[in-house]
Amino acid sequence: AVVSTQSTGSLKTEEKAGEILSIGSSLIFLKQHSAFLHVPGRCISAVLKIVSEDLPQEEKDMLDALQGEVVTDLRGDGEMGEERKTALRGLVTDIVFGKKEAEQ
């Protein structure tokens, strides 16, 4: 699958945790299913459930944890820090491009 350059650029520059998760879920779906997906925010958890079925357990656990932090951020119960946003961007990049390419 060809991953959209615009979407990957947005992933790198987006500051809002919810948007990072939305872009990330779309990129992972695109990678796995060769089809672009755009859904409302309330559907992101369903998309993540679908895409995480094919992920190794470690990545699945990390994605679940980061999704929980994003939800907390969105509810206003706590703010997702830059370090965790960077971790979310990195995880999506690893899943979409592979760990070796992500490190380059």
Side-chain angles (χ1 to χ4, degrees), residues 13-87:
T13 59
E14 181 57 56
E15 293 298 320
K16 295 178 184 173
E19 291 298 316
I20 296 168
L21 187 64
S22 178
I23 295 165
S25 65
S26 294
L27 287 170
I28 296 167
F29 189 90
L30 177 62
K31 165 79 173 178
Q32 291 179 346
H33 301 280
S34 300
F36 191 75
L37 179 71
H38 181 76
V39 297
R42 66 182 177 273
C43 298
I44 297 298
S45 62
V47 173
L48 291 174
K49 186 175 181 180
I50 292 167
V51 299
S52 56
E53 290 174 359
D54 296 329
L55 298 178
Q57 191 62 45
E58 183 181 330
E59 288 179 344
K60 189 183 300 190
D61 292 344
M62 182 70 143
L63 191 56
D64 286 344
L66 290 166
Q67 179 188 6
E69 291 180 40
V70 170
V71 169
T72 299
D73 181 89
L74 291 172
R75 287 186 177 150
D77 297 333
E79 188 174 333
M80 189 172 193
E82 283 305 313
E83 184 176 306
R84 299 304 286 165
K85 290 177 189 176
T86 299

